[in-house]
Amino acid sequence: MIERVKEFPSLIIIRHPLVQHKLTILRDQRTQTKHFKELVDEIATLMAYEATSELSIEEREVDTPLEKTRGWHISGKKLTLVPILRAGLGMVEGILRLVPSARVGHIGLYRDHGTLQPVDYYFKVPGETAERDFFILDPMLATGGSAVAAVSALKKAGAERIRFLCLVAAPEGVRRLSEAHPDVQIYAAALDRQLNSSGYILPGLGDAGDRLFGTR
Ligand code: PRP
Ligand code: URA
């Protein structure tokens, strides 16, 4: 169950009841770290089901215990997950449960609290970038600075097919990412109202990294 928003053609909102139910618990300030981590993991799995729906498949022969038949397997471009550190790490295992053969790269970025500009500190992705389908993972798309920087870094490394998966998006971030990279499909569990003056999403869920790792 998905929703499209006229203003943002690159955005797909995943309206599945389970996703929305879990997201509401995630937003609750009383939800503690252990539960928060479990929910991010579960929502990532549910979102991945939708985000993988357009991966190309090809026919292949299989021997059942009784006879040969034909089936399907995901073809060609290998799926590669790229969490943006730190908070994106919370989404990795939930997707690997569905696609255990996926490779995992990492992009290290943090948002400077004063300027809100992304500061990069790490980049490592598997080779043969042009052959892969990349899923960038980050629970929060706020100003969009981190997302734009992550996509640009992946493209610079040769990536051609990139999707961006987040839990909560702000209109400002969706606009910025889709203007900078109109080819990148964005999947979100919610499109929230706006950013506050400190660049936090309203209503949002607070600081995703801190809530995931219990650092505040
Ligand atoms: C958060 C979040 C995104 C970024 C979004 O990370 O996980 O990466 O902010 O903000 P933006 O869209 O305005 O760039 P943060 O910088 O807090 O780092 P952390 O994951 O290490 O806590
Ligand atoms: N990063 C977060 O973790 N939360 C926000 O609301 C915005 C950026």
Side-chain angles (χ1 to χ4, degrees):
M1 197 178 176
I2 61 167
E3 180 187 333
R4 290 191 176 267
V5 181
K6 214 170 168 193
E7 191 187 350
F8 301 121
S10 324
L11 176 67
I12 290 179
I13 304 175
I14 299 178
R15 285 280 179 227
H16 192 288
L18 282 172
V19 170
Q20 296 305 316
H21 172 90
K22 289 172 192 293
L23 177 64
T24 303
I25 305 172
L26 205 61
R27 289 187 191 277
D28 191 329
Q29 60 177 338
R30 295 168 301 181
T31 301
Q32 298 298 308
T33 298
K34 177 175 180 291
H35 196 194
F36 191 92
K37 201 180 289 177
E38 290 165 357
L39 288 162
V40 170
D41 175 87
E42 290 167 1
I43 296 172
T45 304
L46 294 165
M47 290 184 68
Y49 185 71
E50 183 58 44
T52 51
S53 67
E54 285 177 16
L55 289 182
S56 48
I57 51 173
E58 56 193 32
E59 230 181 336
R60 114 182 195 190
E61 203 169 72
V62 60
D63 293 315
T64 79
L66 301 173
E67 61 178 28
K68 280 192 194 308
T69 186
R70 300 195 70 77
W72 301 93
H73 80 131
I74 292 172
S75 65
K77 313 213 164 82
K78 300 169 195 132
L79 186 60
T80 305
L81 311 181
V82 184
I84 299 181
L85 306 177
R86 291 174 298 169
L89 288 173
M91 299 171 71
V92 173
E93 290 301 321
I95 302 180
L96 282 179
R97 212 171 291 127
L98 279 188
V99 199
S101 58
R103 299 298 172 89
V104 182
H106 294 89
I107 294 182
L109 286 173
Y110 70 87
R111 206 166 68 140
D112 181 280
H113 282 296
T115 64
L116 299 184
Q117 293 306 305
V119 180
D120 63 298
Y121 59 91
Y122 190 74
F123 182 87
K124 181 85 177 174
V125 296
E128 300 174 348
T129 42
E131 309 306 316
R132 298 180 180 277
D133 279 283
F134 286 94
F135 282 14
I136 299 180
L137 311 177
D138 193 325
M140 310 305 280
L141 177 58
T143 65
S146 304
V148 169
V151 173
S152 299
L154 268 186
K155 285 187 175 174
K156 195 170 162 206
E160 292 174 3
R161 291 172 56 83
I162 302 172
R163 296 169 175 83
F164 187 89
L165 273 69
C166 61
L167 305 191
V168 181
E172 294 89 333
V174 177
R175 192 170 299 114
R176 185 156 165 200
L177 178 56
S178 47
E179 279 174 9
H181 298 293
D183 56 308
V184 172
Q185 182 85 63
I186 305 167
Y187 295 87
L191 177 63
D192 276 11
R193 193 176 71 247
Q194 66 183 98
L195 298 177
N196 71 10
S197 57
S198 307
Y200 279 86
I201 300 176
L202 298 175
L205 49 74
D207 188 306
D210 283 344
R211 294 195 67 189
L212 259 175
F213 296 107
T215 41
R216 222 169 52 191

